[in-house]
Amino acid sequence: MKYKALFLDLDGTTIPNRPDGMPSERVTETIHKAKRHVFVCIATSRPLRYAKPVLDHLDIRGLCVVNDATQIYDPVKKKIVETIYLDPADAMKLKKYFKRYAIPLIINTSDGDQEEGASIADDHICALCVPDISPEVADRIIADVTKYSGVAAHKIYSWTSKDLYWVSLTHARATKLHSVVRVAELLGVKTEEMIGVGDGYNDYPLLSACGLKIAMGNAAPELKAIADFIAPSVDEDGVATVIEKFILS
């Protein structure tokens, strides 16, 4: 199979899982080589303002999925192409739910702002995020909000601790699966011609959308279970190995 697009998660995949993480020299070099052969696209939960330093460092040219998969960004034209907001009715219900249990929220807007509290208008919310909670609390929240059919919920590894997670709540169509499929349409690429690489629970939809599914060595067990190939960990430059094996060889 000749692949035409490579979709990379950022944290825990292309870069170490920390706010100031940047790609290693080897990963940077192989990504630059890959761009001569395929579209290299990023699919990250980061709002654009936090993803952009990495995108600029790598000189990414392919369309990117950012802000909890609610936005598609064109790094060449430097503009947001599409945005999917939470349904205002669902946003209102979710804010009431979290207020009832006194659970703090961070609200992601289309401008990439992250604000604590519930003051943002219900029709201007891309994602509601619950930061730094235990896996048990994360699973309980996800189980509770599945009653809202218009909402997607995912666990995301925390930057602060290996034992904590964020939960991200978006419109049901704002997942890495839906957004990556949309990017494929815009690029004129078939899904079976795409490689998806990730490490976290929210990358399950990303891998599900791609013809070749690759989990990092440090990936969640559930992600490894559906992978066609297990790459070395992020600390071992697994993305570089993927590119060398499936694109450059």
Side-chain angles (χ1 to χ4, degrees):
M1 168 65 73
K2 181 175 175 58
Y3 296 103
K4 296 183 179 179
L6 172 66
F7 288 85
L8 299 171
D9 170 55
L10 283 186
D11 295 285
T13 299
T14 307
I15 60 177
N17 190 35
R18 60 176 189 263
D20 61 345
M22 291 297 284
S24 70
E25 183 176 343
R26 180 185 171 208
V27 168
T28 299
E29 181 180 346
T30 52
I31 286 176
H32 285 318
K33 290 179 180 177
K35 288 185 292 183
R36 303 170 193 163
H37 305 275
V38 299
F39 293 109
V40 176
C41 307
I42 299 299
T44 179
S45 294
R46 290 188 179 207
L48 178 58
R49 66 170 59 187
Y50 299 112
K52 197 169 185 300
V54 184
L55 304 186
D56 291 345
H57 170 80
L58 293 170
D59 189 28
I60 295 296
R61 316 296 285 174
L63 296 175
C64 297
V65 175
V66 298
N67 204 11
D68 288 304
T70 64
Q71 294 182 301
I72 296 173
Y73 172 68
D74 185 334
V76 176
K77 296 182 179 178
K78 299 188 182 304
K79 70 175 186 178
I80 296 293
V81 177
E82 295 181 4
T83 299
I84 300 175
Y85 294 100
L86 263 171
D87 183 275
D90 286 327
M92 182 176 63
K93 291 175 186 176
L94 289 169
K95 285 199 284 188
K96 287 182 179 179
Y97 167 84
F98 290 110
K99 184 177 181 180
R100 183 165 70 248
Y101 290 102
I103 298 174
L105 281 176
I106 292 177
I107 298 176
N108 284 2
T109 69
S110 59
D111 296 326
D113 292 329
Q114 291 188 307
E115 300 188 24
E116 296 186 11
S119 60
I120 303 297
D122 294 334
D123 61 351
H124 196 61
I125 295 174
C126 287
L128 295 173
C129 302
V130 186
D132 294 339
I133 53 179
S134 69
E136 294 78 16
V137 173
D139 290 340
R140 188 193 76 199
I141 290 172
I142 291 172
D144 285 347
V145 302
T146 52
K147 61 188 175 185
Y148 306 127
S149 60
V151 176
H154 293 287
K155 283 193 299 188
I156 302 171
Y157 291 121
S158 172
W159 279 335
T160 61
S161 170
K162 294 180 179 179
D163 300 320
L164 298 177
Y165 293 87
W166 286 44
V167 169
S168 170
L169 306 166
T170 63
H171 192 285
R173 289 189 293 107
T175 70
K176 288 189 179 182
L177 187 154
H178 292 86
S179 298
V180 165
V181 169
R182 177 59 179 147
V183 168
E185 292 175 355
L186 294 172
L187 295 177
V189 173
K190 298 177 182 178
T191 54
E192 58 264 32
E193 298 171 327
M194 306 188 314
I195 302 172
V197 190
D199 74 300
Y201 292 96
N202 64 324
D203 292 318
Y204 196 103
L206 167 61
L207 268 61
S208 298
C210 295
L212 181 62
K213 303 168 175 57
I214 298 178
M216 300 294 288
N218 51 286
E222 292 87 341
L223 203 65
K224 289 181 177 179
I226 67 166
D228 301 309
F229 178 76
I230 309 296
S233 71
V234 63
D235 294 328
E236 299 170 297
D237 295 336
V239 164
T241 299
V242 170
I243 292 171
E244 290 164 355
K245 180 178 180 63
F246 295 104
I247 296 174
L248 301 181
S249 63

